[in-house]
Amino acid sequence: MSFKSLGLTTAFVKAVEEKGYTTPSPIQQKTIPIILEGKDVLASAQTGTGKTAGFTLPVLQYLTETKQQKNGPLRALVLTPTRELAAQVYENIKEYSKYTDIKSGVVFGGVNIVSQKSMLKNGVDILVATPGRLLDLHEQNSVSFKRIDVLILDEADRMLDMGFARDLNKLISFMPVKRQNLLFSATFSPEIRKLAEGILKNPVSVAAEPQNSTAVKVTHKVYKIDKNKKTAFTIKLITDNDWQQVLIFTRTKHGANKLTESLLKAKITAAAIHGNKSQGARTKALKNFKENSIKVLVATDIAARGLDIPLLPHVINYELPNVPEDYVHRIGRTGRAGAEGEAISLVCSEETEFQNEIEKLLKEKLNSEIVEGFEPTDTAEAKRASTQSKGSFAKKKKPSNSNSSGGNSPQKKPFEKRNKPANSSEKGRSAAPKRRR
């Protein structure tokens, strides 16, 4: 199957082929023809499967076929949860529309709003935005939604996690009732289905992969590590294996900064990216990482979506996420587009229950290993380590037994509430009931 056979015109087929793609991915095969027909879509696609092209290509083609004015009104809007994802989607739109006269733009917080107002004043056909900044621009009468023909919600589950439900409903209330709606999400949680019911009209449901799955070519490994030895073990992993490109996730901004400082002291080039960093610093760090000027990028979950790093070989969960779906999004940075990748998690005893919940979500056990010299020191893990782990570094493996949570595990279930605050400088509003159509 070719992109042309899906109904795309020469301008878009040429642009896609110049990016090195000749055969559409499964999600693209399923969504492009449906979107070209003007139908609403509810799509679940594993990260790294090409879903951005799955919605941008047909929407761009619709805009070219119906464009009437040179500086006409805004007609297509893509909403994303984070700045990094907004920037990535915008870059893709620019690349795919290079042989057309479609004008595009992107707006998000952390940068000068004046230049964004100027760009909008000159007119754009399709806009990529984060909800908070877009509301600010609308309140200042710098953007109108009266002519929106197509609304795309990308990573909708993440937007709900970050508290953008009220913002989404408010933005949608300004738009025409008659429009095409496309909702893309890595997971189909009950909250997402509820959101979809309030926005989509007779949608076609599409799923390119089993829900909450990870890339098939990503190998998973868990090291049971003493909490106070995680940094030393991380440095050993990188130096002993001579890894040249590693993305590391921490749970907090402070933790990201602290780990980055330790890596730099160990002569490993690294940079941190999180919500307290300026947009300029975040952009520079990501650029240096992509260009291999630095070996390690340490990130909070703000970077779990939207980072498109070709052939990224290694992702390390320095700390497990306290929402199991975030594990899927984190490790989705590796093993993209059919490439192989490795996802490594450093798990101390107090994180055992987090691992249990992740395994329930994935419906598989993660291979676990204890390394001599880095054994966990508390309760059940320590006892197993003293009797079963006598091997050399990264050689002898221990069968996974993650159903045992250890004596110091938290008593409260860690996943009772998914609406957690996120490490993002885009401020989310609290959730609100769905808007009635």
Side-chain angles (χ1 to χ4, degrees), residues 94-300:
K94 286 199 301 181
E95 291 171 341
Y96 295 141
S97 61
K98 62 191 296 186
Y99 296 112
T100 73
D101 59 353
I102 292 297
K103 296 178 66 177
S104 58
V106 61
V107 295
F108 47 72
V111 296
N112 194 321
I113 197 171
V114 176
S115 60
Q116 295 177 350
K117 288 181 177 180
S118 177
M119 175 266 293
L120 292 168
K121 186 177 181 181
N122 292 329
V124 293
D125 300 294
I126 180 169
L127 181 69
V128 186
T130 50
R133 175 51 63 91
L134 188 60
L135 268 179
D136 291 341
L137 288 163
H138 185 268
E139 289 169 359
Q140 296 177 40
N141 298 316
S142 296
V143 62
S144 171
F145 306 134
K146 293 181 180 179
R147 287 290 307 277
I148 294 292
D149 291 334
V150 187
L151 170 65
I152 304 105
L153 301 184
D154 192 16
E155 305 288 15
D157 49 345
R158 185 62 171 168
M159 280 194 272
L160 293 186
D161 284 344
M162 293 173 65
F164 281 126
R166 180 174 295 177
D167 286 5
L168 293 177
N169 283 304
K170 192 171 183 180
L171 288 166
I172 290 170
S173 71
F174 301 130
M175 301 178 193
V177 174
K178 186 178 181 180
R179 63 179 188 274
Q180 183 179 19
N181 303 284
L182 313 175
L183 192 155
F184 283 75
S185 174
T187 60
F188 274 174
S189 65
E191 294 90 345
I192 283 295
R193 293 192 179 279
K194 185 177 180 181
L195 175 68
E197 289 174 4
I199 297 175
L200 308 182
K201 291 183 177 180
N202 302 317
V204 177
S205 294
V206 173
E209 296 286 343
Q211 294 177 28
N212 302 323
S213 66
T214 57
V216 294
K217 291 191 177 181
V218 174
T219 58
H220 307 255
K221 180 180 288 187
V222 170
Y223 288 109
K224 300 290 189 178
I225 299 293
D226 182 88
K227 184 177 182 178
N228 297 319
K229 296 181 179 180
K230 283 190 176 185
T231 299
F233 185 75
T234 300
I235 292 171
K236 184 173 179 62
L237 270 178
I238 295 171
T239 54
D240 285 8
N241 293 288
D242 194 27
W243 288 346
Q244 298 300 308
Q245 194 177 42
V246 188
L247 177 60
I248 303 178
F249 284 104
T250 62
R251 271 205 299 267
T252 67
K253 304 168 188 176
H254 173 72
N257 289 335
K258 188 175 179 180
L259 177 58
T260 301
E261 291 172 3
S262 298
L263 292 170
L264 291 172
K265 288 179 180 178
K267 308 301 182 184
I268 298 173
T269 53
I273 178 171
H274 53 66
N276 281 356
K277 295 285 186 179
S278 69
Q279 187 57 41
R282 286 156 64 169
T283 301
K284 181 180 179 181
L286 181 57
K287 180 176 182 291
N288 289 340
F289 185 61
K290 285 185 174 182
E291 295 176 350
N292 295 112
S293 298
I294 58 174
K295 288 185 177 182
V296 181
L297 186 66
V298 184
T300 53

Side-chain angles (χ1 to χ4, degrees), residues 40-56:
D40 283 14
V41 171
L42 175 61
S44 171
Q46 173 194 305
T47 185
T49 56
K51 64 182 176 64
T52 302
F55 65 77
T56 54

